[in-house]
Amino acid sequence: PVGSGGGKMRLLRVATCNLNQWAMDFDTNLRNVKESITRAKAAGAVVRIGPELELTGYGCEDHFLEQDTTAHAWECLKDILSGDYTNDILCSIGMPIIFKSVRYNCQVFCLNRKIIMIRPKMSLANDGNYREFRWFSAWTYKDELVDFQLPIDVSEVINQETVPFGYGYLQFLDVSLAAETCEELFTANAPRIDLAFSGVEVFMNASGSHHQLRKLNLRIDSIKDATRLCGGVYMYANHQGCDGGRLYYDGCCCIAVNGDVVAQGSQFSLKDVEVLDALIDLDAVSSYRACVSSFREQASHVTKVPCVKVQYKLCQTFRDGMIPTDPVEIMYHCPEEEIAFGPSCWLWDYLRRSRASGFLLPLSGGADSSSVAAIVGCMCQLVIKDIDKGDEQVKADAARIGQYRDGEFPTDSRELAKRLFYTVYMGTENSSEDTRSRAKRLAEEIGSFHFDVPIDSVVSAFLSLFERLTGKRPHYKVDGGSHTENLGLQNIQARIRMVLAFMMASLMPWVHSKSGFYLVLGSSNVDEGLRGYLTKYDCSSADINPIGSVSKQDLRAFLRWAAVNLQYSSLAEVEAAPPTAELEPIRTDYSQLDEVDMGMTYEELSIYGRLRKIFRCGPVSMFQNLCHRWCGRLSPSEVADKVKHFFKYYAINRHKMTVLTPSYHAESYSPEDNRFDLRQFLYNSTWPYQFRKIDQLVQDIDKDGKWVEDRRADSQLRQHGAARPAQGGGMGVVAAGSANPSVGL
């Protein structure tokens, strides 16, 4: 490791990036990698780090099992090394590599048209949305670097046969550098600890981290802590955008020095390439470490880490005008902004890459579909802002999608929305004038091409056909019908809307003499999916859904934010209206309400969802948890009834998750069955063993009345100021994420 104190300041200019890669699109990925290197060199950087698996895209999934995928990655790397891209700059490039018939997730370090080291990932991500063990193996050897035989075609081009492969670091004449890859940042025994003790000063993390509400601070804190505890420079690169699936990679590349962030990239952006650079004083790292006695003591006893010596200098010495980059204030978006910008950017990537001509949304005038409409409107606003800033790629995409001609391009978000966004209000005799007018006003504010389509005649045709077939005609509950009749009549309306939406999406471009097709947008939220409060194959069934992993509570907060910040004022009225499906007749003494239909509030659903997924609670442990949290407001038997009611309908409706529309992933308690929440879809909905255990616990608690009174008194003291139980069975608990300790979920 390089010593310090020679009298000359060691300055190192480094660069990291956000890249909008697309799984299996090697042309796009290679172009973005080259562009990022070019920009890094133009900024004077001599070290460049890119995202994890940047040549293939992170989301290739089972395509990683194909030999072609690895072969194409080598071909792209050969293309880079054949040019002057790596001249005078150390580049870390992410790609899959097969070594001795085992596939590894690797960072390849290149300099001056040579490969100087390959670092395989040692800790694989294998929870939540991640399945890396399905495609890769973790490298477990820490004692030595081994020789890797390069593919013949690569070897011939760069005149090099082998390269060191494994865990270790790069020792240049004036600086030492090493890699971490994504998950290794968050592991307890992180590689950087021994590397820092061995004198490594610069850590380069290639990441593939996706957006999740309220998650960024955890990532930033981990990066800051990595260098606060051990000192050093931490370069973090990430993907940004939709690379072909449900995830939105939220960028935020950054550079940290000794616990301070000195450069931070955007979290949400329409750009394909964003490069960030900083000038670092490496002697500040040496000084930081040397002043911590515990670090000195531990470093003096460290086990030796293998290294590759490189006879090359990367640093500059101080000269007039060269000032190390100062720390910056970290930028965090509020959750409402995350809901606006994340799904908007995801939708834009999906739209331009699917070659669709726009979106069609069944707009009911309720909170969920209005949220989706506002997100599309936000997308149009972001597009216009980037065009105004001179982004030629965004301009070209907008002109193509909007089918502008003769060099024209959009200059106004409402004008753009008119060309690529259809909204359809499909009303029946059960629909109110309030929702109809709200849908119309919101469409006008956004600029969408809006239709008001009454579907009573279609509903009537179905009912007449059924009556001719069976001799019976179903009636609504308020008109004396049974529960089965009532549900069937509601489902007919909902499913007709889905069929009509897809028909209009495919034919309306033809009607308006446009080419292409429109994507149908869904608008069910995460809580409704969890409870199963949706009709299978209704308007929740669509091509994609930008809010399918967002809670009702968060959506209502978003509507209030968007009414002001997106200037869609009608959203304030939408948010204030009670949620209703409007599938039953409106009577003076009866009005259908979602929370009454479900038998639980949306606040309760959020709590059930977090306990079920994040805290891994089954029925019994959920009951025990809620007895403590709600003591003083609900009796144990009332808590038991609520828990049973939730799990009963969760079990009955779990099958709906198998056909859930692909949704933007935003919430950690999403019930999405395809990738994130893997469970059976056929349950015994009576949960006989678990519910029997709950009943026994209730009896045991009721026998000890003093315990109940003591717990109630304690709870009232701890929850001073908490809301009273809501009428109709609600608890009146605060929304998840509140500072109120009674809900800390």
Side-chain angles (χ1 to χ4, degrees), residues 441-504:
R441 280 186 285 125
L442 179 58
E444 290 172 349
E445 290 171 348
I446 293 170
S448 66
F449 201 111
H450 186 64
F451 297 90
D452 188 334
V453 183
I455 62 171
D456 286 317
S457 59
V458 186
V459 174
S460 179
F462 268 91
L463 293 176
S464 297
L465 175 62
F466 182 83
E467 187 174 13
R468 286 198 299 272
L469 181 66
T470 66
K472 292 188 174 182
R473 191 177 185 91
H475 295 87
Y476 289 104
K477 179 176 60 179
V478 294
D479 295 328
S482 66
H483 173 74
T484 300
E485 294 172 76
N486 195 63
L487 191 60
L489 288 171
Q490 294 182 69
N491 289 343
I492 290 171
Q493 300 168 66
R495 290 177 173 138
I496 286 172
R497 286 171 174 149
M498 182 205 72
V499 174
L500 182 58
F502 275 97
M503 185 182 77
M504 294 185 69

Side-chain angles (χ1 to χ4, degrees), residues 503-645:
M503 185 182 77
M504 294 185 69
S506 62
L507 291 178
M508 287 312 299
W510 166 72
V511 170
H512 290 149
S513 301
K514 295 181 179 180
S515 60
F517 62 96
Y518 276 49
L519 295 164
V520 178
L521 296 179
S523 58
S524 59
N525 63 64
V526 69
D527 297 323
E528 291 170 347
L530 179 66
R531 165 61 171 73
Y533 185 64
L534 52 93
T535 300
K536 201 172 186 179
Y537 306 117
D538 69 346
C539 283
S540 65
S541 297
D543 290 307
I544 51 176
N545 180 356
I547 66 164
S549 185
V550 183
S551 73
K552 192 76 162 188
Q553 296 289 93
D554 282 338
L555 286 175
R556 296 189 70 170
F558 164 71
L559 289 172
R560 293 191 295 269
W561 177 90
V564 176
N565 293 276
L566 298 181
Q567 298 183 346
Y568 302 148
S569 59
S570 62
L571 292 178
E573 185 179 337
V574 172
E575 190 277 330
T580 174
E582 291 196 335
L583 293 171
E584 296 183 62
I586 300 173
R587 297 286 189 268
T588 55
D589 59 345
Y590 175 78
S591 180
Q592 184 181 23
L593 296 173
D594 288 356
E595 293 183 333
V596 174
D597 278 357
M598 293 190 297
M600 61 190 75
T601 68
Y602 283 107
E603 290 175 321
E604 290 173 346
L605 264 174
S606 288
I607 291 176
Y608 299 150
R610 285 177 167 80
L611 285 173
R612 181 197 70 97
K613 178 66 176 177
I614 302 173
F615 293 91
R616 300 166 296 280
C617 288
V620 176
S621 54
M622 184 181 291
F623 164 76
Q624 292 171 319
N625 188 295
L626 292 177
C627 273
H628 286 273
R629 294 180 184 275
W630 292 344
C631 188
R633 291 182 290 163
L634 296 173
S635 69
S637 60
E638 289 173 319
V639 174
D641 289 343
K642 286 181 174 294
V643 170
K644 290 178 183 179
H645 185 71

Side-chain angles (χ1 to χ4, degrees), residues 20 54 164 180 233 314 388 395 446 501 553 566 576 738:
N20 193 336
E54 58 187 311
E180 284 193 332
V233 180
L314 292 175
D388 290 343
K395 181 193 290 187
I446 293 170
Q553 296 289 93
L566 298 181
S738 165

Side-chain angles (χ1 to χ4, degrees), residues 12 33 93 102 160 198 228 239 243 289 309 364 373 381 415 423 466 493 528 566 609 616 658 672 680 692 694 722:
L12 183 70
V33 171
I93 299 173
V102 180
Q160 178 183 350
S198 296
R228 179 182 292 114
H239 293 269
D243 79 340
R289 290 174 172 175
K309 293 186 177 181
S364 69
Q381 292 184 18
E415 169 205 345
T423 51
F466 182 83
Q493 300 168 66
E528 291 170 347
L566 298 181
R616 300 166 296 280
T658 64
E672 186 264 305
Q680 79 230 50
R692 195 162 60 245
I694 291 175

Side-chain angles (χ1 to χ4, degrees), residues 363-379:
L363 180 59
S364 69
D368 294 334
S369 62
S370 296
S371 294
V372 174
I375 288 169
V376 177
C378 180
M379 180 198 79

Side-chain angles (χ1 to χ4, degrees), residues 16 26 40 106 130 236 239 255 271 352 396 442 560 617 672 744:
T16 183
F26 291 92
C106 297
Y130 296 102
Y236 176 89
H239 293 269
I255 301 168
K271 296 177 182 177
R352 67 192 182 109
L442 179 58
R560 293 191 295 269
C617 288
E672 186 264 305

Side-chain angles (χ1 to χ4, degrees), residues 42-158:
V46 292
V47 180
R48 176 267 182 197
I49 174 75
E52 184 177 13
L53 297 167
E54 58 187 311
L55 289 182
T56 58
Y58 183 84
C60 298
E61 299 186 324
D62 280 1
H63 284 296
F64 284 125
L65 303 178
E66 301 165 4
Q67 294 287 104
D68 282 2
T69 304
T70 302
H72 295 333
W74 276 114
E75 290 161 2
C76 291
L77 183 64
K78 181 178 70 174
D79 187 311
I80 293 171
L81 293 172
S82 298
D84 62 358
Y85 293 98
T86 62
N87 288 359
D88 304 319
I89 185 170
L90 174 67
C91 293
S92 171
I93 299 173
M95 59 180 284
I97 289 178
I98 297 175
F99 179 48
K100 294 184 178 180
S101 300
V102 180
R103 186 181 300 100
Y104 296 101
N105 176 348
C106 297
Q107 289 190 55
V108 181
F109 288 95
C110 306
L111 174 67
N112 292 329
R113 309 191 189 204
K114 300 289 184 181
I115 302 174
I116 58 178
M117 180 180 170
I118 298 176
R119 163 61 154 84
K121 191 172 183 179
M122 302 172 69
S123 298
L124 301 183
N126 210 56
D127 54 8
N129 286 297
Y130 296 102
R131 298 285 182 276
E132 290 184 8
F133 273 108
R134 182 179 174 95
W135 312 298
F136 301 105
S137 293
W139 182 259
T140 58
Y141 305 101
K142 289 190 173 184
D143 297 333
E144 62 177 343
L145 292 163
V146 298
D147 286 337
F148 175 84
Q149 183 73 41
L150 291 171
I152 294 176
D153 56 337
V154 176
S155 177
E156 291 175 347
V157 168
I158 65 175

Side-chain angles (χ1 to χ4, degrees), residues 181-203:
T181 307
C182 199
E183 181 73 8
E184 293 169 356
L185 169 64
F186 306 101
T187 55
N189 187 21
R192 65 179 173 275
I193 297 173
D194 284 342
L195 290 166
F197 289 151
S198 296
V200 173
E201 298 160 301
V202 180
F203 304 96

